Each structure stands twice: as C-alpha cells, then as structure tokens.
Amino acid sequence: MTVLYLANLTEGMDKRFAGRLWDLPSKIYSDITLLYPGQALNPPLLLEKLDRLGYRPVSGTPSKPGEMRFSKTALEIYLHEFHSPFHEQKSASVWVGLKDSRVTSITRSDMDTKGAILELEPEVLMLYYGPDRERRQLISIGQLPAHLLHAVMAAEDRGFYGHSGIEIRGILRALVANLKEWEISQGGSTITQQLAKNYFLTPERTLSRKFKELLIAGILEYKFDKDTILEMYLNEIYFGQEGPVSINGIGEASRFFFDKSAADLSVSESAVLAGLIKAPNQFSPHRNPERCTSRRNEVLEAMHKNEWLTAESLEEEKARPVKVAPYRGYHQQAPYFMDYLTGQLTSLYSRETLSSEGLSIFTTIDTEVQSAAEKALKKGLERLEAANPSLKRQNPGESLQGAVIVMQPKTGYILAMVGGRDYGVSQFNRAVQARRQPGSAFKPFVYLAALDQYTPVSMLDNSPQTFMVNGQPWTPKNYYAQAEPEITFRKALAQSQNLATVNLAYGMGLERVTQIARAFHFSAPDDPYPSMALGTLEVEPLSLARAYCVFPADGVLPFPLSIREVADTGGKTIESRHATIERLTTPAKAYMMSDLMRDVVRDGTARSLKQMGVTWPVAGKTGTTNDSQDAWFVGYTPNLVALVWVGFDNNDSIKATGATAALPIWADLMKALPQYVSGEWLPLPSGIETLTICADSREIAREGCCPRIMEEIFLSENQPETLCRQHECSSNLEKVWNGIKKILPSF
Amino acid sequence: MELRKYCLLFKWAAMGMALIFLTGCSILAPKPAPKPEKTEVGRHLPPKEISPEPVPKTVEEPPVPKPLLPKKERPAEPPVNQQTPMALASVTFSQQGQAYLKNNKPDEAIRVLERAVNLNPRNGENYFYLAEAWIMKGNASQAREFNRLAEIYMKADPEGMGRVQSQKERINKLK
C-alpha cells in the first residue's frame, strides 16, 4: 500500500516537476525600431529605448556587443546578436551620423553599403509565466556569486548541502511548538521542503499536507542533485508583491530591488534578498527600511557564524546602508496592451502553452510611441488637475482617467495603447473595455453618410428647434448660443454645431445614422433617435480609433492588429497575422471627410493645435459630452491616427472640453514622435472635383460676374451644376464694366 | 457753368474711350480673371490662379462659362513624387517584399510590404505586391482590396495600370 502510494506520488511529481523544469515562458516582443537617413529623432526616447534593450553608454568607442556612445553628431552602437523569423541581427558596430536630431547617414562595419536602414532588435515586453502575471528572470546557479548562495543558506537552511532534504531537528522543534498550539504554525522547513511546498501544494497547514511535503522532499533529494534543487528554489521563491505583479525568483528580485543582475549582487545586497524570503512584505526595503536592515544584519551574522563571512567583512557589511533602486511601482511595459494582447493570445493558445512552450510573440507595439503616449497622458492629466484642483480625488482609484490609442491607418497596427493613468492602481483598460459616449467625435460619420445629398457648401439650418422624441420634447443646444442661424456643411462640422448636425441627420433620415454606425462596427439600436447624431451611442475607444482610420486610408477599415508573428522555440513561425482590410466608403468620400476635418484644425474647434506647436497637416475632431463627462480628440495624418479620451470612471464632470482637455495631450504626443511626421497630406483621389464657386450663391461662379468667389471640392457625382443666378452678367460689356468698377471704385 | 459742362463732357468722353479701349482689349486678348477675393467660407483653400478663358466673339447671348478643370494637386502640398525620408526607407522593404514573392513566400512578403506601406502609404506598388501575395495565399477578397488601393495610387502610370488591370482579372478568376 505504502509502496503504491509512493509510486503514485513519484509519478505525479515527475509529470509536474519534469514539465516545470523545462517550462519556458513565452516572450512577448515589441516591434523592431527603424533608423534611416533623413529620419527625425526624439533623442531622449531613443536613449531610453537603447537602455531598455541593454545598451550601456561607454566613454570610448563601443567595442563589445551592448555598448553605445551618444553625442550630438553621432550614435555609435555595437549591436547585440538577435535572431527571429523575420529579423536576423548580427553583432556589428554601427555608426549613425546625426545633425540637429536627424539621421544623416548609417554605416555598418559588416556591410559596405552606406545609407542602409538600421533595424534595432525588438524589446522583450513581458515574459508570460502564467495567469497571475508573475515576473521572473531565470538564472542558472553557475552565474551566481558564492556569497549569494551562502546568504540564502544562512537565512533559510544552513545545512542544505549536508542533509538529505529533511532535518529531523527542525521538524522536532517545529512539532513541539506546534503541539503547544494544536495546529501547524511553525515551518522549520529545509530548502528542499520549501521547494516541495511551493511547487505542489496548496497553502493550507495540515498534518497530512506536512507529511506529503516530507515525502516529496525525500523524492526530490533522491532524484536531483543539490545544485539543481537550489537553482530551482532560487528561481521559484517569492520575493513580494508589487501592485498587480508578484516578483518571483532571485533574478527578478535583484533586478527590481537593486536594478542589477543577480550575478552582480554584493554581499550586503545578497543578505537583503536572502532576508526577504522569510517575510517579503514585512522586510521590504521600500516599505520597512529599518526592519530590512536589521534582518539583513541577522543574515550577515548567520553567514559569519557558518564561516562564510570573516569578522572584518561582517563589520564592514553591517556598516553599509541598505541602498535600493528607487521604487518604480512595478513598471511593466505597456501593461494595458499586455492585457489586451493576452486576451488575443488566449484565443490562439492555452495559458499552459503560453507559459511553458517558450513561444516568441512579436507584436506591433512601438515602445517609443508607447512611452510618449504614457508620458503625454500623465502630464496632461496632472496639468488638468493643477489648473482645476476640484478635479483631484483623495482616493487614487477614483482619480481623473484617460486613454490613448495610436494606430497606423492603412494596416491597423496598434503602436501604443494606454488604458489608464496607473496600471498599479487600476487595471481596467479604458482603451478597450470602457464604453463611453463619443459626443461630437461621432459627427464625422453623420457627415460622411450625408455626402450623397449634401456638399461642403450646402446650407444647414442651425437655429434652435424642439424635436419630439418618443412623445417627449427635445431641444438640443449649440455649445455657443450665439451661433449663426444658417451655416455651411463645412463650417458646421469645423465648428461642431449641434443644431445643424441634428437638422442634417433629420434631413437625410435618421436611419442613415444607424446604417453608418453599424457599417463602422458600432452597435446601434434598431429604432434611431436624433441625439445619436450628436454621439450618444456608446463606443469603445479602440473601435472609434479604428473607425477614424477609414478617413486617411482611402475609405478602408483595417482590423486592429496587435500580434504580427508567433514563433516556436526553434525560431520557426507558427502563426502570422497580417493586416486585413474592409472597404467602407469611396476614396473620394474619405478624402472629402479628411478635407472637412482639416478645417476643424485650421479654423474650427481644434485650431489651438497650431499654438501648441503642431504645424504640419493634420485632420481631426474634438468631442465633449453632456456636462463634460468625456473629452475626446481623434486626430490623424496620413501615417498615424491617435485618439485621446479624458474622463472620470464614475462620469463626474471634468469641467473641460475636448479642445482643452484631450487636444493638448494629443499635441504633446505627436510632437514627441518626429519619426512619424512626414509633413505630407493625402493625395487627391479620383472622384473629387475642385470648382470655383460664387461665395454668395454657392453655385458655379460666373467669371467676371461674381464679386466673391472661392474654391471648393466636390464629389464628382454630387457637384453644383447651375451657374450663379445671383450675379448674371448680360454681356461682355457688363463684365468689363464690373472690372472697371473694381479698378476705379472711387471714380 | 460752361466749364462744368465741358468737364462733364470730358469725363464721359474719357470713360467712353476707356470703355472702347478695354472692350477692344477684352476681345483681342484673353483677359485674366480677377483674383478671387478671400472669403470667410473659402478660407480653407489657398488662392490660386484661374486659367484664362477665351471670350467668345458673339456678345448677344451671355456666355456660358465652363466649370474650371479640377486641380490635380493643391499648391501647398508637396507633389506625390517628392521622396520623403520615410518614402525612401520604404523602398528597401518594398524590394524585400518583391524578392520574397519571387521565392514563393507570401507571408514573409506581406510582413515587409506592410512595413513599406506604413512608411509610405502613397506608393501604389506596395499595394500591388500585397495583392500579389494575397493571390498567392488564395485570398481573393484581400487581394481585391489591395488591388483596388493599387489602382488608386497607380492611376498616373499607364504601365502600372496595365499590371493592375491584369491582376484584377487574375483575382476575378480566383474562387
């Protein structure tokens, strides 16, 4: 019976343990970074990126992989080696000439060609260990300094290399203590027992579990040598919780607490980490520096007692202050995007596969854009709170929030996603999970739907009216009461006039609003209501950002893409994701909307963008909902679409508009990304006619007859065909007379 | 009194001469249209020269001005063929994509061609080769979408349009 039980236990353990031994977490990568001649750079963002990639600045010429030197005139970098299914990077030195933060030339030691493109390897954004978001950097015992092993043994199990997995004295001592309280309260476990406990068993403290633990420890000692057990232990052990992430393993702990690799830990630092194992949160150097220091000293004393530390070294080490890396919250890169990605990945692979089969997952994220988006949002929200202290909240969980999404319109690549202000405080991903009213940011879809019947010069009724909705009167208002009673289609959108937009929606039929909303994959009710035209349908920010891609992408809606490639441990591609597109409108209509939305930035609600330093061609639309519950700006160039949302989770008023709250964040973000600014605007597609029309009658201008003329673009299928009827010249003589009147007005 | 009469006569005579002179000028030579006044509604467009139109010889009937020809490009924006650094960088990926297609590797080709598109959304060749890659993968609907984009951007290139058209026919033959 006993033999059978043991065999069963061994088999079960083998299955789980052998698997665990070879478990490899999946690595999630950013996209590669390109450097090419003529490219404008944002040096601080690039340097941060190089630091994250493990490139360290040196004073001389970089001579080893991972070294770099940066100056105003050049970036010299010795590349790491990197292999992926689509990126083969040999270790080589590269010279990137710079002038005024622009790349002038690129020269590689391994290639003759000048002017080559430099592709920097992708960054590891996360290691996927499991659903609980553990952080771990695996180490091998050979890399670790002896004093670290000694510190851990001194703190947890000084006789580790001598016992056979179980220490009878420890067990007896624990038994006596536990019998007094009639429950298991004291551990007294060896490293092997702790490992057994960590791997296989639930945290409850019962006698039968203790018994099982002893048996497993025995089997572990039988099957593995001491070094392997210690290595597994060091990679497994828990070092505390930082926000939503648990820190596991000595490699991760040394990176987090001391910002260095475990191989470089000093004696004192080793003792701090070894001391943490007993009660990670109680002895945390961030939370309890005094208790951490005294616990470290205990460990140092124990090391000395075991002759692993001389008396002089002991005094020397004890005198050292505990210096830890500044508390960074737990800065995980693009944490909201990681959650979004995990959702996408788990539809492809099981969590077990992801946490054990060592897949390489290459994403679309550009960490420079991500970092710029995070910074712009943080700064913008702080600026709003400083300008209006009533927006501040005592509880950080209720504070002013925001979301930013940056996409590439033609391919739908998600370059950045920020789902909130602080992932440590709130993991709710507002970029994809929040459903908010877009307000006026929805209007472009209404105007797009109206393009078959209306032209940019069509006049819209902008006077106050009361509509009956389900038997109830509804009187929409314009933001500014003194708006013109009649306004052109173009101006109504630029100035975001509500009354004109509702009248427009009525004019073309409300069902057209429902149709267009559904075409853009927004959910819309079967029974349309007029306020839909003013953006009262709730949308997820990602859907809205995606919908705006249609305008710079010639009328094509891209699928939002986050995963590009998945490769197995051998580097073989097992999954490729490509841009998939769906035609929603004609290139001419898409262009027309972009032209109309350029006026939003030129003369309309977003005209302050120019003063904020955005001087290149941009189109976009602001949005503010009732009582300023939401502030939006969605803006784009031919290369990027970026959406900014600001609001409170509980719908409190932010007391600001899209132009004052969201637009400055957008401007900060775009200014930080010179590498994405081409300065170009969209080319004129077929199906657009530019006509000279009379500014008074808005009909085709009669040359020489109409006193005020202007140019306007029209869809070929919907353009004015009548000549101006207000200014009819009966003969050439009259035209001449008109000309003379202009030349000699005072005669 | 007499002097005033002579002045008035002189004024009318001068005006009449000016009228005859200007009418003569307008008949003999095409007259450029007056510069458009900047209006509030028209602020979105930069002022441009209007192409001169010959005045018809008969003056009995009011002339019917033809609508002005659409402009192909706005003067304020750089011409399509002006190569920005991003556009130049995209060429490398474009070439890589074509090489992958030659080696029957559509997934690899799509990967780099998408990068080329993101760098330079105006280059129709990238859409053309993306359509080729989707044909290779047997996906007619995506091939059609990219073929259509190629058509938009290659309209000025007769040789390119020929390729786009024949590609369209091949796509239509796909199931």
Side-chain angles (χ1 to χ4, degrees):
Chain A
M1 195 71 180
T2 317
V3 175
L4 265 176
Y5 180 70
L6 271 176
N8 185 29
L9 207 61
T10 313
E11 195 195 351
M13 194 193 73
D14 261 0
K15 230 169 159 183
R16 295 166 79 175
F17 199 46
R20 186 80 191 208
L21 247 185
W22 301 109
D23 267 4
L24 276 173
S26 293
K27 274 186 184 170
I28 296 168
Y29 289 94
S30 72
D31 200 358
I32 57 170
T33 299
L34 301 179
L35 292 178
Y36 49 86
Q39 184 189 26
L41 297 175
N42 182 342
L45 278 185
L46 179 65
L47 289 174
E48 279 173 26
K49 181 179 186 87
L50 290 170
D51 179 60
R52 289 193 300 269
L53 281 172
Y55 289 100
R56 301 286 162 228
V58 289
S59 50
T61 308
S63 56
K64 283 192 296 226
E67 289 185 349
M68 59 155 273
R69 182 163 67 167
F70 183 82
S71 70
K72 278 188 174 172
T73 54
L75 165 69
E76 293 162 85
I77 182 163
Y78 209 112
L79 296 176
H80 292 300
E81 217 173 88
F82 184 84
H83 304 283
S84 79
F86 60 86
H87 184 65
E88 282 297 312
Q89 182 172 297
K90 285 182 190 145
S91 190
S93 78
V94 183
W95 194 88
V96 182
L98 300 173
K99 195 181 176 200
D100 302 328
S101 298
R102 229 173 231 283
V103 177
T104 52
S105 62
I106 296 176
T107 317
R108 296 177 64 122
S109 65
D110 59 342
M111 281 187 208
D112 284 341
T113 48
K114 241 193 162 184
I117 291 178
L118 174 60
E119 296 178 30
L120 281 176
E121 69 266 27
E123 272 177 60
V124 177
L125 299 173
M126 190 177 93
L127 298 181
Y128 192 99
Y129 282 98
D132 299 328
R133 281 278 187 87
E134 299 170 3
R135 288 283 305 209
R136 205 192 304 256
Q137 292 192 8
L138 294 179
I139 46 92
S140 78
I141 199 157
Q143 299 171 330
L144 301 178
H147 55 248
L148 175 59
L149 304 180
H150 292 152
V152 172
M153 285 193 288
E156 292 299 315
D157 183 2
R158 43 200 81 167
F160 174 70
Y161 276 95
H163 63 63
S164 53
I166 304 161
E167 244 194 344
I168 302 298
R169 264 191 303 172
I171 292 171
L172 287 177
R173 195 181 62 241
L175 253 178
V176 172
N178 293 335
L179 279 172
K180 279 184 195 164
E181 294 174 31
W182 204 238
E183 62 173 5
I184 305 292
S185 61
Q186 197 171 328
S189 305
T190 64
I191 280 176
T192 321
Q193 282 170 269
Q194 288 184 43
L195 183 62
K197 185 170 68 183
N198 264 21
Y199 268 130
F200 312 110
L201 304 161
T202 49
E204 86 267 13
R205 296 170 167 210
T206 60
L207 270 173
S208 74
R209 205 214 66 168
K210 191 83 192 164
F211 179 67
K212 240 181 181 176
E213 183 186 305
L214 292 176
L215 278 179
I216 291 167
I219 298 167
L220 273 174
E221 288 281 341
Y222 173 73
K223 288 186 76 81
F224 301 100
D225 63 41
K226 286 282 183 186
D227 281 350
T228 311
I229 292 171
L230 187 57
E231 184 180 285
M232 289 190 290
Y233 174 81
L234 288 172
N235 276 325
E236 183 63 27
I237 204 75
Y238 171 71
F239 280 94
Q241 186 79 21
E242 295 297 334
V245 183
S246 76
I247 301 161
N248 289 66
I250 198 95
E252 190 60 36
S254 58
R255 186 57 67 195
F256 178 73
F257 289 108
F258 299 107
D259 197 19
K260 53 167 82 167
S261 122
D264 301 328
L265 288 172
S266 70
V267 175
S268 163
E269 289 160 349
S270 301
V272 169
L273 293 185
L276 273 176
I277 299 170
K278 192 175 171 187
N281 295 325
Q282 198 181 331
F283 298 123
S284 161
H286 291 127
R287 291 184 204 134
N288 293 310
E290 289 89 24
R291 294 177 81 169
C292 173
T293 310
S294 76
R295 173 69 184 152
R296 177 204 61 179
N297 293 348
E298 274 175 41
V299 176
L300 289 169
E301 296 274 6
M303 286 170 79
H304 172 62
K305 219 166 140 187
N306 285 279
E307 296 177 359
W308 288 324
L309 199 64
T310 62
E312 299 94 73
S313 301
L314 173 67
E315 291 315 310
E316 213 175 286
E317 296 296 334
K318 271 170 79 175
R320 282 184 210 278
V322 174
K323 266 207 265 177
V324 285
Y327 183 75
R328 292 167 284 168
Y330 204 105
H331 185 72
Q332 189 184 350
Q333 288 222 69
Y336 293 101
F337 177 76
M338 286 304 142
D339 280 351
Y340 173 71
L341 188 81
T342 303
Q344 309 275 305
L345 281 171
T346 44
S347 66
L348 292 172
Y349 307 102
S350 70
R351 289 183 187 274
E352 289 69 37
T353 304
L354 287 169
S355 58
S356 64
E357 291 190 9
L359 304 178
S360 295
I361 296 140
F362 298 93
T363 70
T364 54
I365 278 284
D366 180 330
T367 50
E368 285 180 80
V369 182
Q370 178 70 29
S371 169
E374 285 169 7
K375 283 177 188 163
L377 182 66
K378 186 170 180 285
K379 193 175 135 196
L381 296 180
E382 284 168 1
R383 194 169 41 210
L384 278 168
E385 286 173 335
N388 187 351
S390 71
L391 297 178
K392 284 189 185 164
R393 297 288 182 272
Q394 288 286 317
N395 180 354
E398 293 169 2
S399 65
L400 183 62
Q401 283 293 349
V404 181
I405 297 160
V406 186
M407 291 177 78
Q408 289 188 298
K410 292 275 182 170
T411 53
Y413 283 19
I414 299 173
L415 296 183
M417 178 186 281
V418 191
R421 194 172 185 168
D422 186 346
Y423 186 81
V425 173
S426 161
Q427 290 93 55
F428 179 61
N429 188 354
R430 288 152 197 85
V432 286
Q433 292 171 310
R435 288 186 61 78
R436 311 284 308 201
Q437 290 188 5
S440 301
F442 184 76
K443 283 179 186 159
F445 305 104
V446 179
Y447 283 69
L448 172 66
L451 282 179
D452 289 326
Q453 293 157 265
Y454 294 80
T455 73
V457 292
S458 302
M459 291 309 278
L460 303 177
D461 180 2
N462 195 32
S463 58
Q465 274 179 54
T466 299
F467 300 90
M468 292 307 284
V469 182
N470 296 331
Q472 298 290 315
W474 177 61
T475 314
K477 284 183 185 136
N478 279 330
Y479 194 80
Y480 295 107
Q482 66 276 25
E484 298 163 63
E486 230 193 0
I487 193 167
T488 62
F489 186 89
R490 177 180 281 279
K491 225 171 157 184
L493 182 66
Q495 297 178 358
S496 202
Q497 298 289 349
N498 289 339
L499 295 163
T501 307
V502 174
N503 280 316
L504 175 71
Y506 265 108
M508 67 173 168
L510 289 180
E511 66 288 345
R512 286 287 295 124
V513 181
T514 307
Q515 281 167 11
I516 196 107
R518 287 187 177 158
F520 276 84
H521 300 273
F522 299 126
S523 52
D526 292 331
D527 292 329
Y529 45 90
S531 67
M532 271 166 51
L534 302 181
T536 52
L537 284 178
E538 290 181 341
V539 299
E540 299 94 18
L542 180 61
S543 310
L544 190 62
R546 178 196 182 196
Y548 267 75
C549 289
V550 168
F551 305 123
D554 305 300
V556 159
L557 181 77
F559 181 80
L561 204 67
S562 54
I563 304 166
R564 295 195 74 201
E565 206 91 22
V566 180
D568 62 16
T569 36
K572 195 171 156 271
T573 300
I574 52 172
E575 177 89 28
S576 282
R577 287 286 177 106
H578 301 310
T580 44
I581 55 176
E582 174 191 349
R583 193 185 333 169
L584 279 198
T585 188
T586 64
K589 283 184 181 171
Y591 181 88
M592 173 67 83
M593 288 312 302
S594 292
D595 195 70
L596 294 173
M597 280 191 274
R598 268 190 85 177
D599 268 13
V600 174
V601 174
R602 255 193 293 234
D603 304 311
T605 51
R607 61 187 176 277
S608 53
L609 208 52
K610 237 174 294 164
Q611 284 134 39
M612 294 173 195
V614 177
T615 50
W616 53 93
V618 166
K621 185 72 195 79
T622 51
T624 313
T625 57
N626 274 351
D627 196 28
S628 297
Q629 289 177 0
D630 306 83
W632 301 85
F633 184 70
V634 195
Y636 60 89
T637 66
N639 303 89
L640 283 187
V641 169
L643 171 147
V644 177
W645 168 83
V646 177
F648 281 104
D649 288 341
N650 67 359
N651 284 333
D652 278 355
S653 170
I654 65 159
K655 295 164 188 163
T657 62
T660 52
L663 191 65
I665 297 173
W666 195 91
D668 281 347
L669 166 63
M670 296 309 276
K671 282 189 290 178
L673 305 172
Q675 67 273 39
Y676 282 99
V677 177
S678 70
E680 287 188 307
W681 187 237
L682 301 159
L684 200 67
S686 326
I688 292 275
E689 309 283 335
T690 308
L691 300 181
T692 304
I693 56 160
C694 171
D696 300 319
S697 66
R698 298 176 318 282
E699 293 167 329
I700 299 171
R702 286 177 190 271
E703 191 193 342
C705 299
C706 300
R708 297 187 316 135
I709 58 170
M710 61 180 212
E711 280 191 357
E712 183 53 274
I713 58 165
F714 296 91
L715 297 178
S716 303
E717 68 272 21
N718 183 18
Q719 53 176 313
E721 283 167 0
T722 331
L723 283 169
C724 177
R725 283 169 290 194
Q726 258 185 44
H727 308 101
E728 288 187 44
C729 308
S730 57
S731 64
N732 256 14
L733 216 63
E734 198 178 339
K735 283 163 75 178
V736 173
W737 177 237
N738 284 339
I740 293 165
K741 272 203 292 190
K742 276 193 177 173
I743 302 162
L744 308 163
S746 58
F747 196 75
Chain B
M1 210 45 200
E2 279 296 296
L3 191 70
R4 212 180 141 196
K5 214 169 111 186
Y6 284 127
C7 278
L8 206 70
L9 206 67
F10 180 73
K11 196 170 163 184
W12 279 109
M15 266 179 74
M17 277 173 72
L19 236 150
I20 292 161
F21 174 73
L22 285 166
T23 315
C25 288
S26 72
I27 291 167
L28 292 172
K31 183 175 72 72
K35 265 198 168 180
E37 254 182 45
K38 251 192 173 179
T39 64
E40 209 183 351
V41 189
R43 261 188 306 172
H44 61 280
L45 287 171
K48 70 161 194 181
E49 290 293 319
I50 299 170
S51 49
E53 209 183 331
V55 176
K57 279 171 189 161
T58 48
V59 285
E60 277 79 33
E61 290 293 317
V64 181
K66 287 175 202 157
L68 295 163
L69 286 172
K71 270 189 137 188
K72 291 295 174 207
E73 276 298 325
R74 304 253 177 130
E77 278 134 26
V80 179
N81 55 7
Q82 186 181 312
Q83 294 288 292
T84 61
M86 285 169 99
L88 287 169
S90 85
V91 174
T92 309
F93 295 107
S94 206
Q95 287 165 349
Q96 280 178 16
Q98 292 169 45
Y100 278 128
L101 283 175
K102 273 187 193 146
N103 291 319
N104 254 333
K105 292 182 169 176
D107 283 313
E108 286 82 349
I110 293 173
R111 190 194 298 133
V112 288
L113 288 168
E114 283 177 2
R115 210 178 278 293
V117 165
N118 283 334
L119 282 164
N120 182 14
R122 287 179 166 215
N123 185 352
E125 293 285 341
N126 293 327
Y127 303 113
F128 175 83
Y129 288 111
L130 273 168
E132 283 298 318
W134 284 108
I135 293 172
M136 221 176 253
K137 282 173 74 73
N139 186 330
S141 85
Q142 285 302 301
R144 198 164 288 123
E145 293 295 352
F146 285 107
N147 171 270
R148 208 176 54 87
L149 287 171
E151 199 173 353
I152 296 170
Y153 288 94
M154 291 165 82
K155 65 183 180 211
D157 166 17
E159 184 276 325
M161 279 305 280
R163 285 187 287 135
V164 170
Q165 284 308 322
S166 91
Q167 187 181 58
K168 192 184 271 177
E169 283 157 25
R170 281 185 288 129
I171 295 167
N172 289 337
K173 281 179 197 157
L174 279 178
K175 276 185 185 170

